[in-house]
Amino acid sequence: MTKADTNSAVFGQLQQDLLIVGGGIMGLWAAYYAAQAGLKTLLVERGTIGSSTSGGLLGALMPHALDRWNDKKQFQFDALMSLEGEIRQVEAISGLQAGYRRSGRLVPLAKPHLRAIADEQMGSASTHWTTYFSGHRPGHYSWQTRDTPFAPDWPVASACLHGCTFDTLSARVSPRQLIAVLRAVLEQSPLVTLREHAELETLNPAEGKAVLAGGDAVHFGHSILAAGVRAFPLLDAMQPGLKPSGTAVKGQAALLQANIDPNWPILFDRGLYIVPHENGSVAIGSTSEVEFADPGSTDGKLDDLLDEACALSPLLRGAPVIERWAGLRPKAIGRDPMVGHHPEFPRLSLLTGGFKVSFGLAHRLAQSVVESLTGTSAISLPDAFRVEAHLDKMRG
Ligand SMILES: Cc1cc2nc3c(=O)[nH]c(=O)nc-3n(C[C@H](O)[C@H](O)[C@H](O)COP(=O)(O)OP(=O)(O)OC[C@H]3O[C@@H](n4cnc5c(N)ncnc54)[C@H](O)[C@@H]3O)c2cc1C
């Protein structure tokens, strides 16, 4: 019997410091930091923990391009830097492995102008990435251009007519394993209750009251909406008359048993990700579909993607497909994550809109939200991530 089950009998009577809606990567990290801050927390999940988009296959953790450095890139860089330590900590608590490895990323350069841009960016890496490490491990992570593939057919030499870039900062994690690690940690916490098959129906942040499907009421001091793509309609219902706060973008991916060395870098080529994981499995992604009939199905677009992957690395040819998968990415209006206190609802914070990069940012975004509740704000959010910035766009 899980901790979630044992709590179900008294659930309707619980008074919570914090209600978190959504048991994906965002909500789970939020619950972890809330417990560390001593908040009695109830996390409600309409399905099972990690059963939605966060239960995917890829888990690529890649920095943005180095040109035009800004506060968003700095935030992402800091998040990618701190993630490994946070994962090692939750692994130690849970005794489970998250499948994290800083294996790097290789991007083939097919055109001469791309090589010129890449050579220019090498200088930026030594500025931005090394500065961070002054006094620690200067120059440990690098962004280099090289003339040859990482290994024969990784990727195929013809894709690297003008070389490739190779960075040693990129990493990958197994999304499902990380979810399992966080779940195990939260199940050990006396302050956190995980409640599955509990769908939030209405949220009244002014009164500090939520009602779940089935009629249970939850009274809370504060709430965090981390409901992925479903956060947008919930939010829109609270603020009628504005533009929609976000949309869902479908993505399809697959997992192959390709016996690729798990140390080998991610191959990334214009939206095609090839991500080696432990045990020789390799995740391939992703389509990006604004229009779709069935959010959960895979189709010929995934077959095309697999063909592209095999063309980029013939080592994948003939590898058995272990799984085909599809999910919906939460894309907030303006494309940036939508995070922090809602200015019009003092008991509500938002934590969604991670779109294609949630796994690299979620811990730090969640930490900043919890810090703002406990008045210990050390992490500063880029202005574009704040709810105010999204509200401006929704009113515009
Ligand atoms: C094909 C594909 C590939 C991707 N690859 C990567 C990648 O390589 N790297 C990366 O960083 N990101 C990647 N992403 C994006 C990433 O998976 C998502 O951004 C992330 O999982 C979103 O997490 P979340 O916690 O915001 O949402 P979710 O994982 O959707 O979690 C929200 C949870 O809230 C629950 N919920 C919703 N409504 C309610 C309600 N009313 N009451 C209770 N519970 C509710 C849902 O059931 C869900 O479990 C990929 C996405 C796709 C589709």
Side-chain angles (χ1 to χ4, degrees), residues 53 229 247-251 286-288 327-331 355-356:
T53 314
V229 294
T247 53
V249 178
K250 179 176 172 178
S286 308
T287 67
S288 204
L328 295 181
R329 306 176 183 95
K331 182 182 174 194
F355 194 31
K356 297 187 175 180

Side-chain angles (χ1 to χ4, degrees), residues 252 287 289 291 298-306 324:
Q252 302 183 37
T287 67
E289 302 163 51
E291 288 177 10
T298 62
D299 55 30
K301 296 188 193 76
L302 183 56
D303 299 325
D304 293 345
L305 202 67
L306 289 171
R324 296 163 66 96

